Amino acid sequence: MAKVTMIEAINRAHAWEMAHDSTVVVLGEDIGINGGVFRATAGLQEKFGTERVQDTPLAEGMIAGMSIGLAAQGLRPIAEIQFMGFIYPAMDQIANHMARMRHRTRGRITLPLVMRMPHGGGIHAPEHHSESLEAMLAHHPGLRVVCPSSPARAYGLLLAAIRDPDPVMFLEPVRLYRLVRQEIADDGQALPLDVCYRLREGNDATIVTWGAMTFETLRAADQLQKDGVSCEVIDLATLSPIDHDTILESVAKTGRLIIVHEAARNCGIGAEIAATVAEHGLYDLQAPIKRVTGYDTPMPLFRLEYDYIPSVARIIDAVRDTLTE
Amino acid sequence: MAKVTMIEAINRAHAWEMAHDSTVVVLGEDIGINGGVFRATAGLQEKFGTERVQDTPLAEGMIAGMSIGLAAQGLRPIAEIQFMGFIYPAMDQIANHMARMRHRTRGRITLPLVMRMPHGGGIHAPEHHSESLEAMLAHHPGLRVVCPSSPARAYGLLLAAIRDPDPVMFLEPVRLYRLVRQEIADDGQALPLDVCYRLREGNDATIVTWGAMTFETLRAADQLQKDGVSCEVIDLATLSPIDHDTILESVAKTGRLIIVHEAARNCGIGAEIAATVAEHGLYDLQAPIKRVTGYDTPMPLFRLEYDYIPSVARIIDAVRDTLTE
Amino acid sequence: MKTIAEFEVKYCQFLDADGKAVGKLPPFTQDAAELVKMYRLMTLVRTFDTKAINLQRTGKLGTYASCLGHEATHVGAAAAMRSDDVLVPVYREYGAQFWRGVTMTDVLLYWGGDERGNDFKESRQDFAWSVPIGSQMLHAAGAAMAMKIRGETRCALAFIGDGGTSQGAFYEAMNLAGARALPAIFVIVNNKWAISVPIEDQTATATLAQKAIAAGIPGVQVDGNDIFAVRHTVAEAIAAARDGKGPTVIEAVTYRLSDHTTADDATRYRKEHEVKDAWKSEPLLRFRAYLKSTGAWDDAREETLKAECAGLVDAAVEEYLHTPKQSTDAMFDFLFARLPKSTREQRDAARRYASSGAH
Amino acid sequence: MKTIAEFEVKYCQFLDADGKAVGKLPPFTQDAAELVKMYRLMTLVRTFDTKAINLQRTGKLGTYASCLGHEATHVGAAAAMRSDDVLVPVYREYGAQFWRGVTMTDVLLYWGGDERGNDFKESRQDFAWSVPIGSQMLHAAGAAMAMKIRGETRCALAFIGDGGTSQGAFYEAMNLAGARALPAIFVIVNNKWAISVPIEDQTATATLAQKAIAAGIPGVQVDGNDIFAVRHTVAEAIAAARDGKGPTVIEAVTYRLSDHTTADDATRYRKEHEVKDAWKSEPLLRFRAYLKSTGAWDDAREETLKAECAGLVDAAVEEYLHTPKQSTDAMFDFLFARLPKSTREQRDAARRYASSGAH
Ligand SMILES: Cc1ncc(C[n+]2csc(CCOP(=O)(O)OP(=O)(O)O)c2C)c(N)n1
Ligand SMILES: Cc1ncc(C[n+]2csc(CCOP(=O)(O)OP(=O)(O)O)c2C)c(N)n1
Ligand SMILES: [Mg+2]
Ligand SMILES: [Mg+2]
């Protein structure tokens, strides 16, 4: 078993599935000979040819629209959007067609496709390269929105996404691409979608988070543990539809809920989780629900990005606040 | 004082402001000689000429992008998107430029513009003509999102939107366009943005809603009143940024909160309101927060649209549920 | 300055407005039975169209987009296709769809507010109606890409309106199809109007066919009221596509004789005489005249056909009117292949309130 | 089939790669002082560019987009503009921006991750950098529309890359400008590459200038390494625009001599010899040779200029490096003219955590 980074794990998931399913095709900007700006598709064109691994002209709406055409014809496209901030030109295709093709044709046309995209900030990237727009996608019924937080989950969830019979938006936290290495078997084993992953057990408070924010969250949990505060950390993983049961169960145990995400707060996924607990778990709550999120401003240019991204200190304070209530 | 419908009130707000501010220009598809598919701009081209009231080629991204150019040059464009479901091609311009131009240029370039669009369903319109996408816009910091629920508020809030120095997304509930007539003075008096409007006072439960759903909500409140249940009904009016204080105050009084909206539930604006109350008003809550919303499916074609749109019965049941907790 | 590139746009017409041949007719016109089949379908489409407008006026149908005047373009293009090709319609190409087996009941269900109208029994690979203007162009390009990847000789044909040519997606699709030599045919139906906006306000170009030059692919203009010209040009384009020669853009010049939809009132923005003039070159008139001149058609057959069409349309209307509303489950059943738990809960909740909403 | 429309694309070049005039030079070339001003700025830009790449390599700047090889196109276009016109850049047109008063410190701040780089002290009507490819084209069209509505004789000039021509927004903007005869100039900088995608994979067209035909407007191709050709062609287009004759598309053919940005490694996807060849026709070489041939320039002046440029760049770098980080308030202060209460609360909260995040 090899120790790989998340970007390598993503690369291997592609390679595995392309080798085992000839209907899988890969497309996007600079994903061919260049192997993607983050190298997620490195080597694939060489291995699988220029028909199955295609650079596209520069147009995200086109990438999404042609993916629909490909999938409707029975292929399984994996399309890369170079950075999540460039998803907007594709939104018409995603919302008005992708998300509802099965629904509106009563199952006649289905779209087994994946749109992959780097997600979030923290690597001092240029303007528009650090966006967290998962809530925009999650608000559109008919899409699965997935975000891994480790190499192994990236591998297993991407395989699940490719094999899923419906469109999956696969968000890859850029900060984690090369942060850690982890052993993966590379055996084509998929992980389940639509469920949360418990990263850490605890009794005093539940922290729900996903993607790169698992990093700050686990560090905060470590520090709190030193002071005897035991936090349960839940990785949402599939951001839509949400596995609310796991969260409600945990809150029933801990009585306290903190949600951490990098995206802007207003109408973020944190709001949905909080609202659901306020409806179905209200009597379990021993303190107000806290959200530790990006501010309701655009992600700033990078000199301030770590003032925007929730810090360990902010998470710790939020947990402490709920404990002293 | 004339009794006018909402669509007439909107028309008059345009006419007033165009007569008093020569920088105001109107653009969109079919808004000229045809006066708009709902007649919101009827007569304006005749009165103010083909330079100030322009039909555009058919492209919403283009409409949004040119509005940015117009506004950056000191004009005040009011752009119509023919139906909210067609906003997607404009999202790149709205999110990546409009919402952040003042911010990213440190105030050097500002965009005093309004994007108007019909919102919601209920008039048996064709596919893609009945969307409620306010949460998608609200999730983008830097935009004001406004939705009137009466002719007078449409008049006053539209004037405020036009005069606002920043971009305003103005959502017009199609179901209300011609539903009622109301006296308006047509005196150029704007109403304040960023505040809720209390449509009805009550003590037993707070219902927050906006746009066309005020109609079902007020009927539900009427029926509940007959059974001695007194509901406070709050029209959110400015959907982003939200005037949370008014809501928190009301919940402090009633102890119960129901949110009603037509849009899909997941990551809707109802989630944001619920989450905020679960953080800042938790101890005031005597029962779980309820959301009565569109389902997490696309708005169905029209034979089922009133099975999708929250009904009076659903609202009443939700209120009763919170009361029996 | 030296000239480094030159381009031209050609025009194709076989039948003038009176049904007289101008120049040598293409071979398929020798097949009288086939021509009669085309004519019969055009007549059925028109009968259907009139009926559908009527249904809307009497409250039995939602907003409906008429195809009055477009019959030659729609039927002509479809007649050049093979059944295993992929059709990508906008929202008024009933002639093309009927040719391929979509039923009148499907069309009525769709405009009657029922998703089942999109569940065609025939040509199940064809795309459903696409209301978001321009977006469908990319589906055709993508489908054509799939065909190319698999080495098939099929093709995808998309329609788009004159107004639609202002949308970026239109150019993106042409450019992609050109760059990858995809077997895609793009038929621009220039009916002169995009709701109230005349073509002159939509673009500064002299033709819409020339927009193909921006993608480095051939663009041809045809008389869209001349079914021979349409079928011939589309057939040539399809042959080239099957042959690996890439895409073609065809501008079919016709006229929207009706209002934009039943929700529109065209008298607000266009002159009566323009419409009156346009009627002189409408497509059935000339086709009928031609068929009569060859002896393949006469007034008696016309009468029989009319009665037949009326009968077929009435039967479809009956079927439509007797199709019961879907249950509330229909909102959820096809959202995903595997319905998530939260959606299942919402489905169950919706059942409790079936038809509690206003009507 | 008869031909109903014909088009052509012309090409403009005045100086060959060796700086020899090919044909009669335009009048502005008589003004030696002006030519020297252009040359000096091109040299400054190149000095700056080298320094910026260096700063990035040493961790003092974020990702930076080099303009190596584009100097003639950028400076030439700006030199044809009036100061009250509006420039709409993409992200590497420093030559054009410096001509108009944007400072080197502004550029460094921007790529250094500081919004204040967008707050130009001069040409404050110019747009800021536009990273979302293609989107800026519509801003130019909109600004030009404002000028037309107010009856001004100003114009807006937008740059776009070869890759950018695949985006729908590019066509939408050209089409709008054509349909309304707007005073807009669209300069396509065809540097042959869009990151790793060569122009041949981007589109099937023989030229990018011909894309203008889709909008019914003139499209001209120029040698983008020949500053005389660029300035002359842009000047003619601007004169036409001021005269109410509408927009022009200009394709400037040049070459991206650098990596796409400092985050890119072009050796992965392009051949060394291609880059080596391209160096032979780079723009400073030929301009310098021309100036020398007219006596307006010599090696001594070149030496002085180099030292001068180095000094100016160093001063700008100093200013940049000594610009303190903005406070956390900077995230909020310019979000709205009137900051909503909820945002004010977040601003206050952010202050408490200033710099608590990872670095
Ligand atoms: C993206 C989008 N914007 C606006 C509309 C509203 N709309 C429906 S049809 C139409 C005009 C279409 O004109 P054209 O493309 O010429 O087709 P035609 O109706 O003439 O066949 C408009 C603006 C839409 N359906 N989609
Ligand atoms: C909408 C969008 N998609 C993708 C990107 C990522 N990206 C940045 S530059 C670039 C290539 C641009 O090529 P071109 O237009 O030729 O300009 P050049 O960089 O060569 O000057 C890409 C794909 C982007 N900035 N915006
Ligand atoms: Mg039309
Ligand atoms: Mg380029």
Side-chain angles (χ1 to χ4, degrees), chain B residues 303, chain C residues 48 55 61 98 101-121 129 312-323:
Chain B
R303 274 180 110 175
Chain C
F48 170 79
L55 286 171
L61 193 68
F98 292 168
V102 173
T103 67
M104 291 184 279
T105 310
D106 289 336
V107 177
L108 293 172
L109 280 169
Y110 181 70
W111 292 112
D114 191 319
E115 285 83 0
R116 286 172 295 183
N118 279 327
D119 190 14
F120 312 154
K121 312 295 162 293
W129 291 281
L312 289 167
V313 169
D314 284 347
V317 170
E318 278 309 294
E319 191 185 348
Y320 158 65
L321 292 175
H322 288 94
T323 306

Side-chain angles (χ1 to χ4, degrees), chain D residues 68-257:
Chain D
L68 191 66
H70 306 73
E71 299 88 349
T73 295
H74 297 162
V75 176
M81 295 175 72
R82 233 164 47 195
S83 65
D84 66 343
D85 292 331
V86 172
L87 179 74
V88 185
V90 195
Y91 43 68
R92 57 168 112 249
E93 296 78 13
Y94 316 120
Q97 295 178 306
F98 291 168
W99 184 274
R100 296 177 60 73
V102 174
T103 67
M104 291 184 279
T105 310
D106 289 335
V107 177
L108 293 171
L109 280 170
Y110 181 70
W111 293 111
D114 191 319
E115 285 82 1
R116 285 171 296 184
N118 280 326
D119 190 14
F120 312 153
K121 310 297 162 293
E122 298 277 325
S123 297
R124 289 180 65 77
Q125 79 280 16
D126 285 0
F127 276 76
W129 291 282
S130 181
V131 167
I133 300 287
S135 58
Q136 76 283 358
M137 289 283 287
L138 290 161
H139 305 165
M145 175 76 85
M147 295 163 187
K148 190 182 175 222
I149 289 174
R150 290 193 292 226
E152 300 165 351
T153 59
R154 297 156 64 217
C155 74
L157 183 147
F159 283 104
I160 187 164
D162 46 294
T165 66
S166 293
Q167 283 282 12
F170 164 70
Y171 300 94
E172 291 177 359
M174 285 196 303
N175 187 60
L176 172 66
R180 301 290 178 269
L182 301 179
I185 322 298
F186 303 116
V187 179
I188 305 171
V189 184
N190 179 359
N191 64 7
K192 307 286 177 64
W193 292 90
I195 310 188
S196 71
V197 179
I199 182 65
E200 302 79 39
D201 287 354
Q202 200 69 243
T203 186
T205 59
T207 68
L208 297 178
Q210 77 196 58
K211 290 179 184 272
I213 297 169
I217 64 180
V220 191
Q221 192 186 65
V222 306
D223 182 338
N225 295 333
D226 169 4
I227 194 165
F228 292 175
V230 174
R231 178 165 173 167
H232 172 72
T233 315
V234 174
E236 296 233 307
I238 289 181
R242 295 201 205 291
D243 213 26
K245 299 209 181 77
T248 302
V249 172
I250 296 161
E251 175 192 4
V253 181
T254 177
Y255 192 84
R256 197 193 78 208
L257 292 167

Side-chain angles (χ1 to χ4, degrees), chain B residues 58 127 296 301 307 311 317, chain C residues 110 115 202 346 353 355-356:
Chain B
L58 204 175
E127 199 174 7
D296 288 317
L301 294 198
D307 289 287
S311 62
D317 283 358
Chain C
Y110 181 70
E115 285 83 0
Q202 200 69 243
Q346 292 189 7
Y353 294 98
S355 295
S356 78

Side-chain angles (χ1 to χ4, degrees), chain B residues 201-273:
Chain B
E201 309 251 342
N203 296 308
D204 299 328
T206 300
I207 316 182
V208 178
T209 188
W210 54 91
M213 289 314 306
T214 54
F215 179 74
E216 273 82 5
T217 302
L218 289 170
R219 277 176 52 189
D222 277 347
Q223 293 193 28
L224 285 160
Q225 188 67 66
K226 285 182 197 138
D227 299 336
V229 178
S230 121
C231 294
E232 180 135 316
V233 177
I234 294 177
D235 175 5
L236 197 60
T238 295
L239 315 188
S240 181
I242 294 175
D243 166 17
H244 287 294
D245 287 349
T246 300
I247 299 169
L248 287 165
E249 241 170 62
S250 177
V251 173
K253 177 173 68 174
T254 65
R256 292 175 161 84
L257 174 62
I258 298 94
I259 305 147
V260 181
H261 62 68
E262 186 172 319
R265 164 173 310 205
N266 195 27
C267 298
I269 289 181
E272 181 59 33
I273 295 170

Side-chain angles (χ1 to χ4, degrees), chain C residues 70 91-92 161-164 189-195 197 256:
Chain C
H70 307 73
Y91 44 69
R92 56 167 111 250
D162 45 294
V189 184
N190 179 0
N191 64 7
K192 307 285 177 67
W193 292 90
I195 309 187
V197 179
R256 196 192 79 209

Side-chain angles (χ1 to χ4, degrees), chain A residues 28-34 36-37 39 55-62 82 85-86 89 124-129 175 215-216 219 265-266 293-304 306-315 317-318, chain D residues 61-63 109-116 118 129 131-133 163-164 166-168 194-197 201-203 263-265 268-269 320-321 323-328 330-332 335 343 346-347 349-351 353-359:
Chain A
E29 295 158 10
D30 306 292
I31 56 91
I33 185 171
N34 197 37
V37 292
R39 329 260 328 113
D55 277 333
T56 63
L58 203 176
E60 288 74 14
M62 188 209 73
Q82 203 159 76
F86 308 135
H124 282 198
E127 200 174 8
H128 301 284
H129 283 65
R175 259 202 301 154
F215 180 75
E216 274 80 7
R219 277 176 54 190
R265 164 173 309 204
N266 196 28
T293 69
Y295 300 110
D296 288 316
T297 71
M299 169 62 114
L301 294 197
F302 70 76
R303 275 181 109 175
L304 286 170
Y306 276 102
D307 289 287
Y308 182 90
I309 297 173
S311 61
V312 175
R314 282 177 67 196
I315 299 169
D317 284 357
Chain D
L61 192 67
T63 303
L109 280 170
Y110 181 70
W111 293 111
D114 191 319
E115 285 82 1
R116 285 171 296 184
N118 280 326
W129 291 282
V131 167
I133 300 287
S166 293
Q167 283 282 12
I195 310 188
S196 71
V197 179
D201 287 354
Q202 200 69 243
T203 186
D264 176 49
D265 174 7
R268 278 201 206 118
Y269 53 79
Y320 158 65
L321 291 175
T323 305
K325 188 177 150 178
Q326 298 177 101
S327 79
T328 56
M331 291 192 280
F332 304 91
L335 190 61
T343 322
Q346 293 189 7
R347 179 195 60 195
R351 285 180 187 161
Y353 293 98
S355 294
S356 78
H359 270 100

